[in-house]
Amino acid sequence: HTDAAWALELFARGSERRAYLLKERVSEPAQLVSAVREVAGGGSVVDPKVVEALMAANIRRRSALDQLSQRELEVLAEIAQGKSNAAVASSLYLSLRAVEKHINSLFAKLGLGGETDVHRRVKAVLLYLSESGNDVRGGVGTT
């Protein structure tokens, strides 16, 4: 499968002596023998389709937070600290209405606009924490 999650799990501890080939793309026995030799020699072999899947997954993952403005990231960082809208407004010297607008905008940009079966605020914070590399105690950092 060209599943990025499987590839990431396989290479989680490094790429040495590992291969990820797609059986439908290994058309010649010589290709398989060559891959086995490469891995046996300490190298790695990854099918180009798997590399494409990894790159696409990385782009999708990064693009979610990259769409947010600096102010929206600041608001999200404050929310990640557990602050209410009023506390965010006070901390960032914004009106409560401005905070609400930023929150609605970031929900929309993160694709959390119309979801009714999840707590959008919690989901946004989880996305922020998992993708930004930020610690909630430290606020907004560079990714």
Side-chain angles (χ1 to χ4, degrees):
H1 301 279
T2 54
D3 187 329
W6 286 13
L8 288 172
E9 186 176 330
L10 174 67
F11 296 113
R13 289 180 238 128
S15 62
E16 187 176 306
R17 296 185 180 269
R18 289 179 175 80
Y20 196 124
L21 301 174
L22 301 173
K23 64 182 176 186
E24 66 269 9
R25 292 185 34 94
V26 177
S27 59
E28 298 292 323
Q31 287 177 292
L32 184 57
V33 170
S34 176
V36 170
R37 285 190 176 131
E38 181 69 27
V39 171
S44 62
V45 180
V46 182
D47 188 285
K49 290 289 185 188
V50 175
V51 173
E52 287 176 20
L54 287 167
M55 296 301 294
N58 188 46
I59 290 168
R60 282 191 305 274
R61 186 181 70 81
R62 290 187 174 261
S63 66
L65 291 181
D66 288 347
Q67 309 179 63
L68 301 182
S69 70
Q70 183 61 35
R71 183 56 101 182
E72 289 164 345
L73 280 171
E74 292 168 352
V75 168
L76 186 52
E78 295 292 314
I79 292 170
Q81 294 178 47
K83 293 183 179 177
S84 66
N85 289 4
V88 172
S90 175
S91 179
L92 297 178
Y93 304 102
L94 296 170
S95 70
L96 186 57
R97 183 68 186 129
V99 169
E100 291 168 353
K101 284 183 179 182
H102 286 304
I103 290 171
N104 287 332
S105 177
L106 71 89
F107 282 166
K109 289 179 181 179
L110 295 177
L112 303 172
E115 296 187 48
T116 58
D117 60 335
V118 296
H119 194 296
R120 295 182 304 169
R121 194 174 179 106
V122 171
K123 197 163 182 180
V125 167
L126 290 173
L127 180 68
Y128 171 76
L129 294 175
S130 69
E131 295 186 10
S132 70
N134 289 310
D135 184 319
V136 291
R137 295 164 300 194
V140 175
T142 57
T143 55

